[in-house]
Amino acid sequence: MIIHAMTASFGKLQNETLTLKPGLNVIHAPNEWGKSTWCAFLLAMLYGIDTSARASKGVLPDKTRYAPWSGAPMSGRMDITWQGRDITIERSTKGRIPMGQFAAYETQSHLPVPELTVENCGLKLLGVERSVFLRAGFLRFSDLPVTADETLRQRLNALVTTGDESGDAETLSQKLKTLKNACRHNTTGQLPQAEGQAAKIQQALQELEGLGRQIDNVKAQQKELCQQEKLLLNHREALAYEASREYRRQLSAAQAKAEMYQEQLKALEARELPPAKELEAKLSQAQGLQEEWEGLQSQAQLLPPPPAQPAPPLPFRSLTGEEAIALAEGDAAAYRRLKDAHPTPSRGHLLPGAGIVLLGVVLLVLRQWILGGAAALLGLAALVGGFYLARSKAQKIRQENRKKAEELLSRYAPLAPEVWADAARDYSRKLQAYEAALTTHAAARQALQEKMGQVQNEIREIGGNQPLSGIIRGLQGDLQLHRDLEEARRRWDAARETAETLRKAQKEVPPPQLPDSLTYSEAQTRQLLENLEGKKHQAQLNLGNLQGRMAALGQREELERQKAQVDGRIALLKDWQAALELSLTTLEAAKQELQRRFAPQISRRAQELFSRLTGGRYNRLTLGTDFGLQVAAQEDVTLHSAQYPSDGTVDQLYLSLRLAVAEALTPEAPLILDDALVRFDDDRLKIALEVLGQEAAQKQVLLFTCQSREESYVNT
């Protein structure tokens, strides 16, 4: 198949076209240009988009990763040549299925190509499944190592063992295995089914035998239960007979009790009592008075004592509040006057002396020298004496004022004169409060005494001078007599009714038919009979169930006939299984023989390519059934793992294997390489391009690269 052109609306590609030619195509472009997108587009055009893929571990499915950036539906076109015919393939989005709409037609005539469908397009054009093409003819830098894919393994196995990948030998082997598995595969197959059927029949036979024994046991149990029931029924008759005798004794006792209660009732009815309602009313009133009297006594006990008269200060004893205030204010004013008074000598004591002196002066003026001098001297003496007399009298007044002030201070001590009036006013307020409290206390006591007097009057109205407690006891005793009378009537009625009931219920019961040795009570006997009935019912159910199970299992003769048929089938299936195992062993031996003849084909071609790519350095290569590679250089004695050489050499090794696999499995399919040669040095890159050029003579090769070396080597 040759691809001529691809037009894509796919990822970053917006209706862009890539034109190709037969042979080797080197597409050189920088990173982010869309090389990997074109490779993914080619796969999508051939095999479609896996719509069931889901994102996992940060890897987006193709339907999401390559959704057109423009928002347009995913679509594309590819012009190819296949089997000598120019064909155009178109895919577009169908509903929610990207690339789900498919069309294939001849490019010139537009006639449809019916052999190509949306499901088989890639398989039909390339001859391999998508997974095989990815691991054989589609090489990317990220997945150069060949991984173990089951489809690829089957094709390689068929190729190296038979020389043909048609798979006939594998198909025959698979059919034989299918037939063998149909006989027995672990716990499935016809043989295990037949053995299971035989085991079930054998189990049914064993169950029939066991059910027969269980039925015999149930019947024996039923017989024993019937015997126990017979004894219990006889015991119940014995209990009924004894109960009838007890009835007669109870009837006699009930009649005697009724007569005794009747005599008690007559004795009580002979006493004359006030009506019960009247007694109850008086008792209620007396109890109410008792509660009220006790409450009043409690109130009397709880009354506070009379208020204490406030102790008056010493100056205010036996004075009223107003008198105390007037006295304190007068004393305070007197004290202030005494403190403020400053008496001076009186001038009256100087007047006689002054007159005498004046007379002496006059006499001297009249030149009565002797009389004038004597009068002057006498006048001066009188003035001196008067002065001392006046000063002595003023000092005496000051002493008297001081004494009066001290007397006032001692009377009001320790109060200061400034607060004497305040103390008197405070005493006046306390005295007024005391008088008000005394009035209130007297009023409360008077009211309480009046209430207590009223209660005592009501008590005397009920019981005279009898104490209230005695009145209550008497009323309670009379009421108790009324209750005793009612109780006597009730007992007599009940005893009479019991006697009548016993008389009516009395019946003649015959003695039991058998001797009775059981000691159960009537309730125990009734319970035992009920339990016994349940056991009989359960035994009958068990018997029916066992008989039903036996009927469901079938007749023993039929089961034994079925067992013989199944045993014969098991023997036949075992013979088939032995024959199939022999056939598989023979086919495997033939397959191993063919493998020894054809297995080196892939390894040999890969070894040739690897030796050439490495300039002859590595000349030995082996490929295991699990695609594990081992290589050796010329100087190596033993083979090494494929991971042993350098990264570039490993890439060349896996490229050799991929080319060998592609030649064997996809001889006509294009060879796609996406940055597969980036780790090749210049010399080995040149050799690789020569090898790819030789491959291009047989098939179309598309080499996508981000380096310019490949394009330079090809164009030189």
Side-chain angles (χ1 to χ4, degrees):
M1 183 188 80
I2 303 297
I3 304 173
H4 299 292
M6 296 186 292
T7 301
S9 178
F10 192 83
K12 69 175 296 179
L13 304 175
Q14 306 298 318
N15 293 324
E16 297 182 23
T17 300
L18 180 64
T19 303
L20 303 171
K21 62 182 180 179
L24 177 61
N25 292 263
V26 178
I27 300 96
H28 166 235
N31 292 329
E32 304 297 329
W33 176 79
K35 300 185 295 297
S36 298
T37 304
W38 278 115
C39 294
F41 173 74
L42 175 58
L43 280 175
M45 289 300 297
L46 292 173
Y47 295 101
I49 295 289
D50 184 6
T51 58
S52 64
R54 298 290 183 269
S56 61
K57 295 182 180 179
V59 179
L60 295 176
D62 287 351
K63 64 181 180 180
T64 303
R65 182 179 181 184
Y66 295 110
W69 293 6
S70 63
M74 189 182 292
S75 62
R77 167 179 172 152
M78 187 166 64
D79 296 326
I80 65 172
T81 296
W82 178 61
Q83 295 181 352
R85 301 162 64 186
D86 292 335
I87 297 173
T88 296
I89 298 172
E90 293 180 352
R91 284 183 184 266
S92 59
T93 298
K94 181 180 181 182
R96 294 186 177 182
I97 304 175
M99 308 295 265
Q101 185 72 35
F102 178 84
Y105 55 87
E106 294 185 0
T107 305
Q108 298 297 327
S109 64
H110 284 265
L111 293 175
V113 182
E115 56 265 45
L116 296 179
T117 65
V118 67
E119 293 85 5
N120 71 354
C121 178
L123 180 61
K124 197 73 174 177
L125 293 176
L126 305 184
V128 292
E129 295 83 355
R130 184 179 188 274
S131 61
V132 175
F133 179 59
L134 280 173
R135 288 160 176 79
F138 197 95
L139 287 80
R140 290 178 292 195
F141 174 75
S142 61
D143 59 358
L144 271 175
V146 177
T147 55
D149 177 78
E150 181 60 24
T151 305
L152 180 60
R153 188 198 65 76
Q154 292 177 359
R155 287 180 175 272
L156 281 175
N157 186 57
L159 185 65
V160 300
T161 55
T162 66
D164 180 17
E165 61 171 322
S166 62
D168 291 341
E170 185 70 22
T171 302
L172 176 59
S173 176
Q174 188 62 41
K175 288 182 178 179
L176 290 174
K177 289 180 181 179
T178 301
L179 290 174
K180 178 185 174 184
N181 290 338
C183 287
R184 184 193 296 277
H185 178 67
N186 295 331
T187 59
T188 61
Q190 296 183 16
L191 188 54
Q193 291 177 1
E195 290 173 346
Q197 187 177 1
K200 288 181 179 179
I201 295 174
Q202 182 62 35
Q203 183 180 1
L205 289 171
Q206 293 175 355
E207 286 185 11
L208 278 177
E209 184 176 355
L211 289 173
R213 291 194 297 269
Q214 292 181 39
I215 288 174
D216 293 340
N217 292 336
V218 171
K219 289 182 177 179
Q221 181 185 8
Q222 285 180 322
K223 184 176 180 181
E224 182 180 355
L225 291 174
C226 289
Q227 181 62 29
Q228 292 178 8
E229 184 181 31
K230 183 177 180 181
L231 293 176
L232 286 171
L233 290 174
N234 182 74
H235 180 62
R236 187 171 65 179
E237 292 177 357
L239 290 175
Y241 177 72
E242 183 62 28
S244 67
R245 297 175 59 187
E246 181 63 25
Y247 256 95
R248 288 193 291 272
R249 289 193 295 271
Q250 291 179 1
L251 176 58
S252 177
Q255 289 174 343
K257 185 183 291 186
E259 292 175 357
M260 180 185 67
Y261 287 154
Q262 187 177 20
E263 293 298 327
Q264 292 177 357
L265 178 60
K266 289 179 179 179
L268 289 171
E269 287 177 344
R271 300 184 62 175
E272 294 183 0
L273 294 173
K277 290 184 178 180
E278 180 181 343
L279 293 173
E280 289 174 353
K282 286 186 177 181
L283 178 61
S284 177
Q285 183 181 4
Q287 290 173 340
L289 290 173
Q290 185 180 34
E291 292 179 1
E292 187 176 0
W293 177 256
E294 291 175 353
L296 292 173
Q297 287 181 329
S298 298
Q299 291 179 19
Q301 293 175 358
L302 294 175
L303 274 178
Q309 183 175 1
L314 187 61
F316 307 144
R317 287 181 181 176
S318 70
L319 297 180
T320 64
E322 290 78 4
E323 292 173 344
I325 293 173
L327 177 62
E329 290 177 349
D331 288 343
Y335 178 78
R336 286 193 297 271
R337 286 194 303 271
L338 291 172
K339 291 293 289 182
D340 295 338
H342 299 288
T344 58
S346 177
R347 294 180 181 179
H349 295 87
L350 300 177
L351 290 177
I356 294 172
V357 171
L358 181 58
L359 179 61
V361 172
V362 171
L363 289 175
L364 288 175
V365 171
L366 295 178
R367 297 185 180 190
Q368 296 292 327
W369 304 107
I370 297 174
L371 292 175
L377 290 174
L378 182 60
L380 287 174
L383 282 173
V384 172
F387 173 77
Y388 281 104
L389 180 62
R391 190 174 67 175
S392 175
K393 190 175 182 179
Q395 186 175 4
K396 184 178 181 181
I397 293 172
R398 284 195 297 271
Q399 290 176 353
E400 290 177 354
N401 288 343
R402 188 181 302 113
K403 184 177 180 181
K404 290 179 180 179
E406 289 175 356
E407 288 177 355
L408 289 174
L409 285 175
S410 64
R411 185 189 307 169
Y412 287 94
L415 300 176
E418 294 81 5
V419 298
W420 290 351
D422 293 337
R425 283 189 287 272
D426 181 62
Y427 168 68
S428 178
R429 285 192 296 271
K430 290 181 180 179
L431 195 60
Q432 290 175 359
Y434 159 72
E435 291 172 352
L438 186 62
T439 302
T440 302
H441 179 270
R445 181 170 294 279
Q446 180 64 30
L448 184 60
Q449 290 176 351
E450 290 177 357
K451 289 182 180 179
M452 294 178 75
Q454 292 175 1
V455 171
Q456 288 176 344
N457 292 333
E458 293 179 6
I459 292 173
R460 283 193 291 271
E461 290 177 1
I462 295 175
N465 295 324
Q466 186 179 1
L468 184 59
S469 58
I471 296 172
I472 292 175
R473 284 195 298 271
L475 292 172
Q476 289 175 341
D478 291 343
L479 284 173
Q480 183 61 43
L481 290 175
H482 273 284
R483 287 192 289 272
D484 293 343
L485 181 60
E486 291 298 324
E487 179 64 19
R489 289 195 183 98
R490 187 192 63 77
R491 288 197 298 264
W492 179 62
D493 290 339
R496 185 178 55 183
E497 184 176 349
T498 300
E500 182 64 20
T501 301
L502 290 173
R503 188 186 63 77
K504 292 180 179 179
Q506 184 181 7
K507 58 182 179 180
E508 294 295 330
V509 177
Q513 299 178 358
L514 299 175
D516 180 38
S517 60
L518 301 179
T519 59
Y520 302 126
S521 65
E522 183 179 0
Q524 291 174 331
T525 304
R526 183 171 57 254
Q527 186 63 45
L528 288 172
L529 283 171
E530 291 177 359
N531 295 341
L532 197 62
E533 188 64 29
K535 291 180 180 179
K536 287 174 61 181
H537 179 68
Q538 186 61 45
Q540 186 61 37
L541 290 177
N542 293 340
L543 181 62
N545 183 31
L546 293 172
Q547 291 173 343
R549 288 170 60 186
M550 286 189 69
L553 290 173
Q555 299 296 325
R556 177 179 293 276
E557 294 78 8
E558 177 62 22
L559 291 175
E560 290 177 346
R561 184 186 65 79
Q562 293 177 6
K563 179 72 165 48
Q565 290 179 350
V566 173
D567 289 342
R569 186 181 176 194
I570 290 173
L572 179 61
L573 287 172
K574 287 183 177 180
D575 292 341
W576 269 97
Q577 184 182 19
L580 289 170
E581 289 178 350
L582 179 61
S583 299
L584 281 171
T585 302
T586 305
L587 182 62
E588 185 63 26
K591 179 179 176 181
Q592 292 176 358
E593 177 63 24
L594 289 173
Q595 185 174 7
R596 284 192 295 271
R597 293 169 56 189
F598 293 100
Q601 177 179 341
I602 297 294
S603 300
R604 183 168 54 252
R605 178 56 178 161
Q607 178 177 307
E608 292 174 359
L609 293 170
F610 185 48
S611 177
R612 183 176 176 186
L613 288 174
T614 59
R617 174 172 172 74
Y618 290 90
N619 57 1
R620 283 185 292 167
L621 180 148
T622 61
L623 173 66
T625 58
D626 61 348
F627 302 105
L629 290 172
Q630 289 187 321
V631 297
Q634 292 181 357
E635 66 272 15
D636 292 336
V637 177
T638 60
L639 294 168
H640 300 286
S641 168
Q643 306 301 325
Y644 182 78
S646 66
D647 291 342
T649 304
V650 171
D651 289 353
Q652 293 145 24
L653 170 61
Y654 282 110
L655 176 61
S656 303
L657 177 61
R658 286 296 188 93
L659 292 176
V661 171
E663 289 178 5
L665 297 183
T666 59
E668 296 182 0
L671 182 63
I672 314 298
L673 297 95
D674 183 12
D675 282 334
L677 310 180
V678 293
R679 292 195 293 192
F680 285 33
D681 60 30
D682 291 344
D683 293 335
R684 293 188 180 182
L685 175 64
K686 187 175 181 180
I687 297 172
L689 290 173
E690 291 175 357
V691 171
L692 292 176
Q694 293 176 357
E695 292 288 331
Q698 306 297 326
K699 62 173 68 179
Q700 188 179 32
V701 178
L702 307 182
L703 174 59
F704 293 90
T705 178
C706 63
Q707 300 177 353
S708 60
R709 297 184 304 162
E710 291 89 336
E711 189 175 20
S712 299
Y713 286 147
V714 170
N715 293 331
T716 57

